[in-house]
Amino acid sequence: MTAIPALAVEDLSVEFRTRSGVVKVLEHVGFSVDKGETVALVGESGSGKSVTAFAVMGILDAAGKVTSGRAMFGGSDLLALSERDLAEQRGRELSMIFQNPRTALNPIRRVGRQIADVLVRHGGATRNDAPQAAIAMLKKVRIPDPERRAEAYPFELSGGMCQRIMIAIALACRPALLIADEPTTGLDVTTQAVIMDLIGELAGESGMATIFITHDLALAAEYCDRIVVMHAGHIVEAAPGRALFDHARHPYSAKLLAATPGETVSLEALASIPGGLPDLRRPDLPPCRYSGRCERRTEACDQPLPQRIVGDHHVVACWNPL
Amino acid sequence: MMLPLLRHARYVLSENPVTGLAFGLFALFMVAALFGPLLAPYDPLQSNAAMALKPPSAAHWFGTDQLGRDIFSRVLVATRLDLTIAFASVILAFMLGALSGVAAGYFGGWTDQIVGRLADTIMAFPLFVLAMGIVAALGNEVINIVIATAIINFPLYARVARAEANVRREAGFVEAARLSGNGETRVLLGHILPNIMPIMMVQMSLTMGYAILNAAGLSFIGLGVRPPDAEWGIMVAEGANFIQSGEWWIALFPGAALMLAVFCFNLLGDGLRDIIDPRMRT
Amino acid sequence: MLNLLLSRLATAIPSIVGVVVVTFMLTRLLPGDPAAYFAGLAASPQAIAEIRTKLGLDKSLPEQFVAYVGDLLQGNLGNSLSTGQPVVTEIATRLPASAELTLFALIVAVGIAIPLGVLAAVKQGTWVDHLCRIVTTAGVSLPVFFTGLLLAYVFYYLLQWAPAPTGRLDIFLSPPPDITGFYLIDSLLSGNLETFWSALRQLALPAISMAIFSLAPLARMTRGSMLAVLGSDFIRTARASGLSPRTVVFTYAFRNAVLPVITTLGMVFSFLLGANVLVETVFAWPGIGLYAVNALITSDYAPVQGFVLTMAVLYVTLNLTIDFVYGLVDPRVRLES
């Protein structure tokens, strides 16, 4: 497989400046997504999944700063683009959908208008035909009675409906890359599946690359080609979904898998991961940020992290992999 | 409990030196209020026709008014009256508001209804206008300015106290006090009221500036304080007649003192709020 | 929409009842003999007794209250002692002057405060933000009558840019035909630019004094609300969709941020209506505030009572309007009622 990656993130580091010091939120993060491929970013909250996405999109908070790295996309480095050029790309070439769809939509603007805004901005439609184009998008994300729903405000719609609207906004201009940040959090289980299927289907239709951010390994395995596991701002393991489920090599991935209720795992076997995330403000962070919680820790772990290729597209950052 | 608060206070002060300035000003006003009559170079009521309407000079730093009285002495001496009116009204508003608000929040039901309705009714008036009406009705006395200012501030205190008491009604320490055999009144006064004191203190310093403005406004239109007493509002009113002929100092100095006092208390209120309750910061 | 209006009206009724009760109580709180007070200082015992019967003060309190409400319903606020005219008429002729001043001041305040607040939020931590902080803290600290005097001294006495601080119009001009009662509007309607210019010059200083005083809560609220909205999820969505900074700040953030500011207008009006009295005194502005102050000085009580009542009813009506407008602007309120 030598497909051209739609997005290649290399050596991405991000810091947050807070009152209590500088937090190294991301360190040397690198991964890529091919055209038509779906990659999951998995990890517990605080592992840096969303920050990675925000950095790529250029929508970090003012306190966040990219200190190194590149994000190659369509021949240019997103991290080096001016805010102006990046804004041109956002919503047209790369899009993002968020968790909590009900708060992620403008509460006092009709949803049809919100879709139309994006279309007009990126030249997908003129002011005059934008309302019709917005309704067409609503149809595409299978919203019943789209003409009437276009006139609705977010508070009049259910969470699942709002997430469909978000998807319509994100996909309105047929982007080459979609980042879905926990798109099903807060939705009920049946709606979750419907939304995931919808994203998968629309992505497949247009050959779009998708990054799916979740803390739910089972969901990731079901919908994604590859899984990237993050822990405390590091990528600890990257592997095809099946390979990771069959044989996770990083101790953290293994623990995460064991904590995931699946068809084969009974609830009693759920293991919780000991300890918490390390304090990322510490100046003397060990090279392996998992070492404090790790049962397989040895002296070798004090050396800089390795990138061990342990299988086809399977990389692990560990001196003592399973 | 005290030590972290002090450390936090030092942090807030270093973050915001303006609050430090406000504390300095406050000290200055306190000195003027306490020792004003002793420090004043002239008798504030002593008129001297020969010296009428003289601009500021070495002998009369702030100049003299139409009766030849020394404005510096009058501004200095007026501090006590102005601050006393403001303090008294704020304390009265606090007592009325905190007690009824705490009772409303704690007991709920009809107590809550009555206090709420009372507060709403007061808030239905433009506050300064209501204060005018009250002083006019009660009579043109200084004490009535205090009462009027307290009444128009009452809803603020009652609402804050009500909300705070309501939150704490089910709190652990209240439950504990109740279980250890305290009567309702005792729980209310002995446990809930002290607990909401910090927030009420912030409220008091935030409304202090408004109380000074309000009292001075009332005496500016001739309510409450009567000549020849020295009070900033009435001194500005006297000076107003001379602005059009260019004798600016008669109105300027008492007006500036007034402004500085209000400014000081507003900054102090903001600073105190940051120290006691950083969440409320905007 | 009718539902919204009716539900808002319903909330105003207890306020109006409260206002009527309080104003009634104020007249009965008079220390000593209210009849003597209403009759004025120089009244003979006979005149006082006459007033007492006329005001019904010899009846029981409930009866007096009924009579009071009856009078109010007929639009009777009593007569002024010094002029002998019905208070209602006098207030009605003076109201436009106060309304023009207050509304103009509000427009000036909103025109400065909202852009300032928005800028301070968008450029948080920069000099604009600090300027906003200083302006808002200083603004509420300035006694409005003192600001008025300072402005009059600087712009009238020193620079001679402004006309003498007396009244609504240059004394050599005659007022425009009475259409709305607002000189600015009436002079334009009758095409008299000279009168318009003069009215505007007279209005400028008192309106600015009041605007400075009421700027602070508006600017503070705009800044806070704008900051909260800029940090919200849907702004992140808008940015992630590549919408231009203009669209993000104005169409998305500002329209949401302005909603809480509308609610603040209630408090601002409370400030403005109070400040109105003081500013009218300073600038000899022939409105109801000055009318009330003059009545206070001569112990003429009926105009004062009428003034307090008028102001309160006005304020309740303004709050009602603000509530209603809020309901119209915010779809969440509009569609749910």
Side-chain angles (χ1 to χ4, degrees), chain B residues 138-150:
Chain B
L138 292 180
N140 213 344
E141 309 281 342
V142 172
I143 180 73
N144 294 334
I145 290 198
V146 173
I147 294 173
T149 308

Side-chain angles (χ1 to χ4, degrees), chain A residues 90 103-104 106 117 121-122, chain C residues 233 237 239 241-242 252 256 334:
Chain A
R90 286 200 294 256
T103 59
N106 188 340
D117 285 338
R121 156 75 172 155
H122 296 299
Chain C
D233 286 358
T237 309
R239 290 183 60 208
S241 315
Y252 276 64
N256 276 278
R334 182 179 64 214

Side-chain angles (χ1 to χ4, degrees), chain C:
Chain C
M1 180 127 117
L2 191 66
N3 278 344
L4 181 69
L5 187 63
L6 288 178
S7 72
R8 291 302 179 268
L9 268 176
T11 59
I13 289 170
S15 297
I16 291 287
V17 172
V19 163
V20 170
V21 172
V22 169
T23 46
F24 172 76
M25 273 167 48
L26 282 182
T27 61
R28 315 297 131 159
L29 280 180
L30 294 174
D33 186 355
Y37 208 87
F38 274 99
L41 294 175
S44 64
Q46 220 172 336
I48 293 175
E50 212 169 281
I51 293 262
R52 181 171 297 127
T53 330
K54 199 172 142 217
L55 293 176
L57 291 170
D58 46 356
K59 301 205 180 82
S60 70
L61 270 183
E63 278 175 305
Q64 288 184 39
F65 184 69
V66 171
Y68 175 73
V69 174
D71 277 350
L72 286 186
L73 288 176
Q74 289 167 30
N76 178 10
L77 292 173
N79 289 346
S80 158
L81 278 179
S82 37
T83 62
Q85 295 293 313
V87 169
V88 171
T89 337
E90 294 202 318
I91 285 184
T93 51
R94 284 155 177 272
L95 195 55
S98 299
E100 185 172 36
L101 173 59
T102 308
L103 288 178
F104 192 73
L106 178 74
I107 292 169
V108 174
V110 167
I112 298 170
I114 289 189
L116 186 63
V118 168
L119 264 178
V122 172
K123 305 198 176 289
Q124 196 193 358
T126 64
W127 65 269
V128 188
D129 194 12
H130 295 305
L131 179 76
C132 179
R133 195 185 152 105
I134 293 168
V135 166
T136 53
T137 318
V140 281
S141 305
L142 280 168
V144 66
F145 51 91
F146 182 57
T147 331
L149 282 176
L150 277 186
L151 290 178
Y153 177 71
V154 173
F155 292 101
Y156 165 66
Y157 182 80
L158 286 185
L159 300 172
Q160 295 181 342
W161 290 357
T166 42
R168 297 175 78 184
L169 216 52
D170 191 298
I171 43 167
F172 299 112
L173 288 174
S174 52
D178 188 4
I179 306 166
T180 59
F182 287 23
Y183 282 7
L184 286 183
I185 297 176
D186 290 351
S187 60
L188 280 184
L189 286 178
S190 59
N192 192 338
L193 284 182
E194 194 193 357
T195 312
F196 175 80
W197 180 237
S198 168
L200 186 64
R201 275 162 54 93
Q202 295 284 346
L203 190 58
L205 291 189
I208 291 172
S209 319
M210 281 169 76
I212 292 175
F213 188 57
S214 51
L215 253 176
L218 280 171
R220 214 174 244 232
M221 193 69 200
T222 308
R223 177 180 176 275
S225 149
M226 197 66 192
L227 276 179
V229 170
L230 282 174
S232 64
D233 286 358
F234 71 87
I235 290 299
R236 195 179 53 194
T237 309
R239 290 183 60 208
S241 315
L243 297 184
S244 67
R246 266 177 75 112
T247 316
V248 173
V249 171
F250 293 107
T251 315
Y252 276 64
F254 179 68
R255 286 193 195 171
N256 276 278
V258 88
L259 293 174
V261 179
I262 294 178
T263 344
T264 319
L265 281 179
M267 189 175 74
V268 171
F269 267 116
S270 175
F271 270 42
L272 279 173
L273 294 179
N276 181 59
V277 180
L278 298 165
V279 169
E280 287 187 4
T281 312
V282 171
F283 290 91
W285 194 261
I288 59 173
L290 185 61
Y291 174 64
V293 170
N294 287 335
L296 271 176
I297 293 166
T298 53
S299 296
D300 188 358
Y301 199 74
V304 178
Q305 192 196 358
F307 161 76
V308 174
L309 189 71
T310 310
M311 281 294 212
V313 171
L314 214 61
Y315 183 53
V316 172
T317 316
L318 283 169
N319 272 326
L320 183 74
T321 317
I322 290 165
D323 243 20
F324 182 65
V325 168
Y326 185 94
L328 284 185
V329 178
D330 189 337
R332 285 161 294 191
V333 181
R334 182 179 64 214
L335 296 174
E336 250 152 41
S337 67

Side-chain angles (χ1 to χ4, degrees), chain A residues 45-320:
Chain A
S45 39
S47 58
K49 307 168 302 223
S50 296
V51 175
T52 307
F54 290 173
V56 169
M57 296 288 293
I59 54 171
L60 281 174
D61 286 350
K65 201 166 173 276
V66 175
T67 50
S68 77
R70 301 200 300 169
M72 299 308 294
F73 177 80
S76 54
D77 177 7
L78 292 177
L79 302 180
L81 287 182
S82 68
E83 171 58 30
R84 207 192 162 84
D85 293 340
L86 193 56
E88 290 285 335
Q89 301 265 312
R90 286 200 294 256
R92 192 177 67 193
E93 294 298 331
L94 66 161
S95 285
M96 185 156 177
I97 55 185
F98 299 92
Q99 49 183 319
N100 303 330
R102 302 196 70 165
T103 59
L105 292 171
N106 188 340
I108 59 164
R109 201 162 173 80
R110 297 178 195 278
V111 296
R113 289 289 295 276
Q114 298 191 44
I115 301 171
D117 285 338
V118 180
L119 285 164
V120 171
R121 156 75 172 155
H122 296 299
T126 62
R127 272 268 164 237
N128 292 329
D129 54 9
Q132 275 311 310
I135 290 171
M137 271 320 291
L138 289 176
K139 224 173 261 167
K140 203 164 167 188
V141 293
R142 301 215 192 89
I143 286 182
D145 200 358
E147 285 84 2
R148 203 166 59 83
R149 289 284 156 72
E151 298 297 309
Y153 291 96
F155 74 94
E156 298 175 277
L157 303 174
S158 68
M161 277 299 160
C162 286
Q163 195 55 288
R164 285 169 199 252
I165 308 281
M166 277 293 311
I167 296 171
I169 290 176
L171 302 188
C173 299
R174 305 181 151 272
L177 172 71
L178 172 72
I179 303 178
D181 185 0
E182 311 230 10
T184 59
T185 308
L187 302 181
D188 63 67
V189 184
T190 40
T191 320
Q192 277 187 10
V194 176
I195 293 289
M196 288 307 297
D197 288 340
L198 183 67
I199 295 174
E201 195 179 312
L202 293 173
E205 259 173 39
S206 58
M208 182 173 69
T210 311
I211 297 173
F212 174 50
I213 296 174
T214 181
H215 57 260
D216 187 343
L217 257 181
L219 208 62
E222 195 176 339
Y223 289 95
C224 302
D225 305 312
R226 278 192 303 129
I227 296 178
V228 173
V229 181
M230 291 191 72
H231 174 264
H234 283 167
I235 288 181
V236 294
E237 186 166 7
R242 202 64 260 168
L244 190 80
F245 256 73
D246 289 345
H247 190 184
R249 305 299 296 265
H250 195 282
Y252 176 68
S253 312
K255 287 283 186 192
L256 207 57
L257 267 178
T260 305
E263 301 131 70
T264 51
V265 191
S266 73
L267 279 171
E268 289 83 56
L270 279 182
S272 66
I273 301 167
L277 291 171
D279 181 358
L280 300 185
R281 283 168 308 193
R282 269 171 43 195
D284 57 336
L285 275 175
C288 173
R289 292 178 174 184
Y290 186 63
S291 60
R293 308 162 82 175
C294 189
E295 292 158 359
R296 300 174 61 81
R297 189 194 154 145
T298 60
E299 272 165 24
C301 297
D302 292 332
Q303 303 167 52
L305 277 184
Q307 294 290 328
R308 290 189 164 178
I309 296 169
V310 290
D312 193 20
H313 288 96
H314 195 160
V315 183
V316 62
C318 182
W319 288 107
N320 306 305

Side-chain angles (χ1 to χ4, degrees), chain B residues 42-104:
Chain B
Y42 296 89
D43 177 350
L45 300 180
Q46 180 67 52
S47 47
N48 178 356
M51 283 302 292
L53 295 176
K54 293 275 181 281
S57 62
H60 296 280
W61 293 354
F62 290 177
T64 60
D65 67 7
Q66 71 281 11
L67 298 176
R69 294 174 296 194
D70 179 50
I71 294 179
F72 177 69
S73 304
R74 286 177 68 75
V75 168
L76 196 62
V77 168
T79 314
R80 183 182 289 178
L81 181 57
D82 273 273
L83 292 193
T84 308
I85 294 175
F87 269 123
S89 64
V90 163
I91 287 169
L92 188 60
F94 161 75
M95 292 198 307
L96 294 174
L99 282 181
S100 54
V102 163

